[in-house]
Amino acid sequence: FTLSFGNKDFDESIEARFFAKYLGLNHDVLNFPDGYELVNLIEKVLGAIDHPFSDISSIPTFAICEYISNYNKVVLTGDGGDEMFAGYNRHIYQNKLAYKMFPEKFVSLFLPYFENQIPEQKLIKLRKAISVKKKNTSREKYEVLLAIGNLDPKPLKLGEIKKYFDNDTLNLDFQTYLPQLVLKKVDRMSMANGIECRAPLLSNKIFKVSQKISYDQKVAGGSKHLLRLLHAQKFPKNSN
């Protein structure tokens, strides 16, 4: 099952169709609603959340779960792959020039002259890079990375963070972002539609394997480097 979006930056339905055909799987594509249908969908999502929850992806998650409920009661998801195998931009940015090579004063001095020429999203990321450089601890840096848009980062009540991996951001993601945001969202949206989502990547066996792999290996060729290598072995070239 795949949710198709009108915005090509978010739509993965073409790739999903290719892999489903290659693997010989049945494949259904649902178009993300708009107009009054979207308003009705948002009302359903608010009722299912039942408490303050800021993840806007709850809306498409509810939509696909509602659709799936007509056909299946148990489905598999890919949750956990980004958190264990370094799939987010913040895992890669740690090694980028903006964080390590450009002096803070240099960037801060010239940034105002380029603000009107840089796309808003890239400008936000650049400002985050500057803010991260000012922070001393991994937790403070993580708060900046998770801040939405131009909003000031808020202190996170993270509690004790165990050293499952050899990288602080991976540890923070795995023990906070994954269970408190990603898995909570999927659980609430799926259960509201009477289906159960299971995440094979979070099996104890795969988790233990990911612990043995260093952060440097995970990002050697970019985000989810090892998963991409595995993909290249299993699927035709130019399919990723």
Side-chain angles (χ1 to χ4, degrees):
F1 296 93
T2 303
L3 192 62
S4 177
F5 296 89
N7 188 329
K8 293 182 178 179
D9 291 336
F10 300 100
D11 187 48
E12 298 178 345
S13 60
I14 295 177
E15 293 88 343
R17 285 191 181 96
F18 171 83
F19 288 114
K21 183 177 181 180
Y22 182 81
L23 295 170
L25 303 174
N26 294 327
H27 183 227
D28 285 352
V29 177
L30 170 67
N31 293 320
F32 189 69
D34 56 13
Y36 287 111
E37 287 186 50
L38 179 56
V39 173
N40 292 333
L41 174 61
I42 293 174
E43 290 179 351
K44 293 179 183 178
V45 171
L46 292 175
I49 290 175
D50 198 37
H51 75 291
F53 192 69
S54 62
D55 192 343
I56 196 171
S57 65
S58 297
I59 300 172
T61 303
F62 186 99
I64 194 67
C65 287
E66 184 178 45
Y67 182 71
I68 291 172
S69 67
N70 296 313
Y71 305 93
N72 294 87
K73 294 303 178 184
V74 180
V75 294
L76 303 180
T77 76
D79 294 325
D82 289 315
E83 291 79 10
M84 291 195 296
F85 294 98
Y88 294 129
N89 287 334
R90 54 180 170 269
H91 301 145
I92 308 303
Y93 287 164
Q94 297 175 40
N95 295 324
K96 293 295 183 179
L97 296 177
Y99 281 86
K100 291 194 172 183
M101 294 185 66
F102 288 121
E104 178 189 325
K105 290 184 179 180
F106 174 85
V107 178
S108 300
L109 179 65
F110 286 95
L111 185 59
Y113 295 98
F114 296 100
E115 284 189 343
N116 295 328
Q117 304 176 38
I118 301 176
E120 182 179 0
Q121 289 302 315
K122 290 186 177 181
L123 190 61
I124 289 174
K125 290 178 180 179
L126 185 56
R127 284 173 173 160
K128 281 190 176 184
I130 297 172
S131 297
V132 165
K133 287 178 66 68
K134 298 177 181 179
K135 303 300 181 180
N136 297 318
T137 69
S138 297
R139 294 194 181 207
E140 291 176 333
K141 293 177 181 179
Y142 191 69
E143 290 167 358
V144 172
L145 293 173
L146 288 192
I148 300 174
N150 289 314
L151 297 178
D152 292 332
K154 303 297 181 183
L156 302 175
K157 297 179 180 179
L158 301 179
E160 180 185 358
I161 301 298
K162 298 180 181 179
K163 297 290 185 179
Y164 289 129
F165 308 106
D166 66 342
N167 175 267
D168 288 337
T169 304
L170 288 180
N171 285 314
L172 287 162
D173 270 336
F174 189 75
Q175 295 171 72
T176 60
Y177 185 80
L178 177 63
Q180 297 176 19
L181 199 70
V182 177
L183 297 181
K184 181 180 289 186
K185 168 196 65 184
V186 173
D187 179 66
R188 286 183 175 269
M189 299 303 102
S190 60
M191 295 305 289
N193 288 286
I195 67 174
E196 180 180 345
C197 291
R198 297 178 180 175
L201 287 173
L202 290 174
S203 71
N204 191 48
K205 186 175 182 180
I206 295 179
F207 168 66
K208 288 183 176 180
V209 169
S210 70
Q211 282 186 290
K212 298 177 182 178
I213 303 172
S214 70
Y215 164 76
D216 289 337
Q217 288 177 295
K218 291 176 180 177
V219 299
S223 64
K224 288 182 283 197
H225 173 61
L226 297 178
L227 295 183
R228 295 181 190 279
L229 289 179
L230 183 61
H231 174 281
Q233 296 175 12
K234 302 291 183 180
F235 296 99
K237 292 182 179 179
N238 302 321
S239 64
N240 58 350

